[in-house]
Amino acid sequence: MSEALIELRNLTFGWTRNRVDLEIAALDIARGERVFVRGASGSGKSTLLSLLAGVNVPRSGTLRVLGQALGSLSGTARDRFRAEHIGYVFQQFNLLPYLSARDNVVLGLNFSRERATRVANRKAMADELLQRLGLDARHIGALASELSVGQQQRVAAARALIGAPELIIADEPTSALDADTRDQFLSLLIDASTAAGSAVLFVSHDSGLRAHFDTTLDLHTLNRARVA
Amino acid sequence: MLLKIARSSLYNRRISALLTLLTIAISVALLLAVERVRVETRNSFSNTIAGIDLIVGARTGPVQLLLYSVFRIGDATNNIRYATYEEIAKHPQVAFAIPISLGDSHRGFRVIGTTADYFEHFRFGDKRKLEFAAGEPFADLYDAVVGAEVARALGYTLGQQIVVAHGTGRVDITRHDDKPFRIVGILARTGTPVDRSVHVSLQAIEAIHIDWQSGARLPGRAVDAETARTMDLQPKAVTAVFVGLKSRVAAFSIQRQVNDFRGEPLLAIMPGITLAQLWSLIGVAENALRLVAACVVIAGILGMITALVTTLNERRREMAILRSLGARPWQIGLLLVIEAAVLTALGATVGVIVLLLGMVALAPWLASAYGIFIQPFAMGVPELILVGAVVVFGILAGLVPALMAYSRSLSDGLSIRV
Ligand SMILES: Nc1ncnc2c1ncn2[C@@H]1O[C@H](COP(=O)(O)OP(=O)(O)OP(=O)(O)O)[C@@H](O)[C@H]1O
Ligand SMILES: [Mg+2]
């Protein structure tokens, strides 16, 4: 198995036909590497992450994740690939409002065989993750739609961490958190990824967090579509 | 898990789901009601009379004669002479002849004047004889035998006195209150118009009209009940005669003889054949009714598809989230199909319950107004098949939004903004 987690060459992507929103010459991320991603708003951070997670496919160039060329997979195959290997904290959380916090965390395990085998007791694991992120028992059982924005964000984070995926993608996961909760989340993220050997891609505008990561990516320099 | 998601998601949209469910419930109830009434109408009509080969009455339409003589629907325009009845009864081919005389009523129930032959020879259903739940046939002039429904509805018991009213209106306006009757018999339930009849002798009919002429009491010539006993009570006319033949083969020739009778214009009908005529009359309306009911069900299911498709737009994000977590297309499809199945199955169940309650509530009225005896809890296989078809149809309908759901792109659904 190759050491590379992500291997990206001459990639372009545009949200609409006559536009190029993202153009990257090369990007390599190793397994277990922790990467801090920064860049001005609109510089293409979320767009890049959506490509790495197979939500979108590149217009041109090659993109390999865990040796798999995502562009050549069907939509359904990419869904399965993502479910098995990637935990994604969406910038807009994307929780199901009518399920409890706990059920939202457990939900993904139903669709991912590999991640499910790593979790012996789903409910206990979900509760533990949520507790470590500072949610009390009352909120763990509450509907996602009845949680505060910061609480929802932590549920989304727990959902990405459960089952120890190879890659954790977190798109501004601390934007709605206070300093204490943010630190709690960060230490959990570092602990969990170290224990599981997961790589982390972490988008944030908070430069103070850079110290926790191995490398820093600046979309401003990486994305040539913006430079031009 | 899928079930849990489906349940929570439905609960989250409970108002619109409830409305959809009601639409389906109402259409199913309507469909079944039409079917039920149709079947029960046929059943109660064809169960009403058996073992009678000919019905003879004054010349009129065959269907009309059948309706007023057997079903007690509508009124006779003319009577036939008592002498004519005697002649029919004497005919060598005739096994029995039951005369009936209609025209009076008791609190909305028809009073029929007849003879003891009625209890002996009248048959209904699969040739069942009339049975007494209590008491016995009338013997005295002022004795009456009431049907099961009359006894139940009015709370009558043996020995009670009742007063017969002139005419067949719902409300007793002019009453023969000078000559009350005593209940001596209560018939067992038959599920036919017999249940809703009060039976007295032909002589009794004569007696209560002895001081009447053309529908009004003769002033100053009142005859009291006891004096009437001493007077000539020989009946002069009857409304119709139920005839049983020694051999059914003779039915056609006797029918012709009766129709050609010189004494007065008569009509003889064979109940089975006239009933078939009635069906062909009703059949067209019946089919139209079924068509309408089917259209209502289709409209109900289209309504459900519409509801599912419109919520689909709101639910794009929900579908996308499930996909982003690795849900397979068939799982998302199944989610929508489960929802459609639950909605139609629940809707159908509610529909059946509504129908049962409705029938229980309306059965007495249907029986009294139209002579249709409905058994609410007699739903059978045809009904189950109908309900099953509606549910299957609903599930298939759920496939439409399921297919639509998966044709949308993932990032579309994920990037829906507020
Ligand atoms: N769903 C979309 N449809 C069309 N264009 C989009 C969509 N999402 C993003 N874009 C465009 O792509 C560009 C990059 O957006 P992106 O969301 O990647 O920025 P970002 O770096 O994540 O910004 P932020 O820090 O505000 O989250 C923007 O110019 C934006 O207009
Ligand atoms: Mg972003």
Side-chain angles (χ1 to χ4, degrees):
Chain A
M1 223 194 306
S2 79
E3 269 301 292
L5 175 76
I6 290 169
E7 209 184 327
L8 179 155
R9 296 287 175 273
N10 300 321
L11 174 140
T12 63
F13 176 79
W15 281 103
T16 51
R17 200 178 286 275
N18 45 20
R19 216 171 70 188
V20 178
D21 289 296
L22 200 66
E23 187 179 343
I24 298 176
L27 175 64
D28 293 280
I29 295 171
R31 286 169 179 270
E33 189 177 353
R34 283 197 280 269
V35 183
F36 186 79
V37 183
R38 67 174 192 179
S41 175
S43 60
K45 302 183 296 292
S46 299
T47 306
L48 172 62
L49 298 189
S50 76
L51 288 161
L52 299 181
V55 172
N56 288 310
V57 283
R59 181 179 292 166
S60 66
T62 56
L63 168 60
R64 288 177 183 282
V65 179
L66 291 163
Q68 176 69 56
L70 287 187
S72 65
L73 292 179
S74 71
T76 312
R78 277 183 281 125
D79 290 345
R80 301 193 61 171
F81 183 83
R82 182 186 325 109
E84 297 290 2
H85 305 291
I86 301 172
Y88 200 147
V89 187
F90 291 95
Q91 196 167 5
Q92 306 93 322
F93 317 152
N94 287 337
L95 302 177
L96 289 182
Y98 49 77
L99 291 185
S100 69
R102 176 191 296 130
D103 287 337
N104 263 289
V105 174
V106 170
L107 185 61
L109 294 181
N110 291 289
F111 307 115
S112 164
R113 204 163 293 141
E114 286 184 33
R115 286 171 71 179
T117 55
R118 294 185 201 124
V119 179
N121 183 336
R122 298 179 180 194
K123 179 177 166 298
M125 177 57 93
D127 288 5
E128 187 195 321
L129 286 169
L130 287 168
Q131 263 157 20
R132 286 182 67 182
L133 288 169
L135 260 78
D136 55 42
R138 184 163 60 92
H139 292 118
I140 289 172
L143 291 185
S145 57
E146 289 163 359
L147 296 177
S148 76
V149 175
Q151 286 166 336
Q152 289 181 25
Q153 192 161 38
R154 283 176 278 165
V155 175
R159 186 179 64 185
L161 290 174
I162 198 166
E166 284 98 324
L167 173 61
I168 294 165
I169 294 177
D171 198 346
E172 301 191 35
T174 56
S175 60
L177 303 184
D178 60 277
D180 284 347
T181 319
R182 182 198 64 198
D183 292 342
Q184 238 175 344
F185 169 62
L186 217 62
S187 69
L188 174 62
L189 179 67
I190 302 299
D191 286 357
S193 62
T194 310
S198 314
V200 178
L201 259 97
F202 189 96
V203 171
S204 179
H205 292 290
D206 189 347
S207 308
L209 302 176
R210 268 168 69 179
H212 297 278
F213 294 86
D214 303 328
T215 40
T216 300
L217 274 180
D218 193 337
L219 254 284
H220 196 65
T221 48
L222 192 64
N223 185 0
R224 293 191 302 192
R226 292 290 148 191
V227 179
Chain B
M1 192 64 186
L2 277 177
L3 278 175
K4 182 174 190 171
I5 296 173
R7 200 184 57 210
S8 311
S9 177
L10 257 180
Y11 182 74
N12 196 39
R13 291 171 286 115
R14 52 192 172 277
I15 303 287
S16 73
L18 207 68
L19 287 175
T20 310
L21 194 145
L22 278 182
T23 316
I24 294 168
I26 289 170
S27 37
V28 166
L30 200 74
L31 181 75
L32 289 183
V34 167
E35 196 56 22
R36 187 91 235 129
V37 168
R38 195 182 67 82
V39 171
E40 291 285 5
T41 310
R42 277 186 183 243
N43 280 349
S44 37
F45 270 57
S46 43
N47 277 338
T48 298
I49 195 162
I52 304 286
D53 299 307
L54 289 173
I55 300 172
V56 180
R59 189 158 298 165
T60 170
V63 171
Q64 202 191 346
L65 174 57
L66 183 78
L67 286 179
Y68 71 66
S69 66
V70 177
F71 300 108
R72 321 274 146 82
I73 297 172
D75 291 299
T77 41
N78 272 308
N79 283 345
I80 59 176
R81 288 199 286 270
Y82 190 76
T84 307
Y85 151 68
E86 286 178 318
E87 203 154 322
I88 293 170
K90 270 196 329 241
H91 192 285
Q93 287 285 350
V94 170
F96 64 87
I98 311 169
I100 59 166
S101 180
L102 301 166
D104 286 323
S105 65
H106 172 69
R107 298 175 67 175
F109 297 105
R110 299 287 173 112
V111 169
I112 101 166
T114 183
T115 64
D117 284 344
Y118 188 88
F119 305 110
E120 189 56 40
H121 295 296
F122 189 86
R123 296 285 186 277
F124 67 96
D126 34 346
K127 303 217 167 163
R128 278 165 60 198
K129 206 179 151 183
L130 292 178
E131 276 168 34
F132 279 80
E136 53 196 11
F138 43 74
D140 183 68
L141 184 62
Y142 297 115
D143 282 354
V145 171
V146 298
E149 181 58 23
V150 179
R152 190 201 63 84
L154 303 176
Y156 286 163
T157 51
L158 291 183
Q160 224 166 321
Q161 302 256 318
I162 60 171
V163 167
V164 169
H166 195 72
T168 54
R170 306 225 69 193
V171 186
D172 298 353
I173 299 169
T174 45
R175 313 197 316 155
H176 300 287
D177 44 9
D178 54 336
K179 301 183 184 72
F181 284 81
R182 194 171 59 96
I183 296 174
V184 296
I186 295 172
L187 293 171
R189 190 167 283 277
T190 63
T192 75
V194 172
D195 293 350
R196 310 186 47 77
S197 302
V198 175
H199 309 82
V200 300
S201 67
L202 285 175
Q203 286 72 22
I205 296 284
E206 209 57 39
I208 57 180
H209 292 108
I210 205 156
D211 46 1
W212 286 58
Q213 207 161 57
S214 29
R217 212 183 287 248
L218 296 170
R221 285 186 45 193
V223 177
D224 69 52
E226 288 313 310
T227 318
R229 283 182 189 278
T230 64
M231 299 172 70
D232 172 25
L233 295 177
Q234 170 65 28
K236 289 161 198 73
V238 299
T239 308
V241 185
F242 295 149
V243 180
L245 298 176
K246 287 179 179 144
S247 149
R248 302 196 71 176
V249 184
F252 281 104
S253 82
I254 309 252
Q255 183 183 31
R256 203 168 325 110
Q257 286 172 40
V258 171
N259 287 340
D260 293 342
F261 184 70
R262 293 192 184 282
E264 62 179 321
L266 292 182
L267 172 71
I269 58 168
M270 291 188 231
I273 290 176
T274 308
L275 210 52
Q277 267 173 7
L278 189 61
W279 289 152
S280 64
L281 269 176
I282 295 175
V284 180
E286 226 178 57
N287 285 338
L289 214 61
R290 294 171 94 179
L291 194 70
V292 170
C295 286
V296 170
V297 171
I298 291 172
I301 287 181
L302 279 180
M304 182 181 71
I305 301 183
T306 313
L308 285 175
V309 170
T310 38
T311 59
L312 204 63
N313 225 17
E314 304 156 20
R315 297 174 67 197
R316 261 166 68 197
R317 189 187 178 92
E318 182 183 329
M319 302 293 154
I321 292 170
L322 285 169
R323 268 192 68 180
S324 78
L325 293 172
R328 320 274 188 274
W330 66 261
Q331 287 171 316
I332 291 176
L334 192 63
L335 205 62
L336 289 162
V337 170
I338 288 175
E339 188 170 308
V342 167
L343 281 179
T344 34
L346 274 182
T349 311
V350 171
V352 169
I353 293 172
V354 164
L355 179 68
L356 286 178
L357 292 180
M359 285 197 304
V360 169
L362 291 182
W365 172 76
L366 272 176
S368 65
Y370 297 104
I372 299 167
F373 295 83
I374 292 222
Q375 272 124 37
F377 298 101
M379 296 243 199
V381 177
E383 271 94 350
L384 280 180
I385 291 175
L386 267 180
V387 171
V390 169
V391 173
V392 168
F393 201 42
I395 292 172
L396 288 180
L399 285 173
V400 175
L403 291 174
M404 283 175 63
Y406 214 76
S407 64
R408 311 208 199 234
S409 97
L410 175 57
S411 80
D412 241 22
L414 283 179
S415 58
I416 295 167
R417 311 263 154 101
V418 262

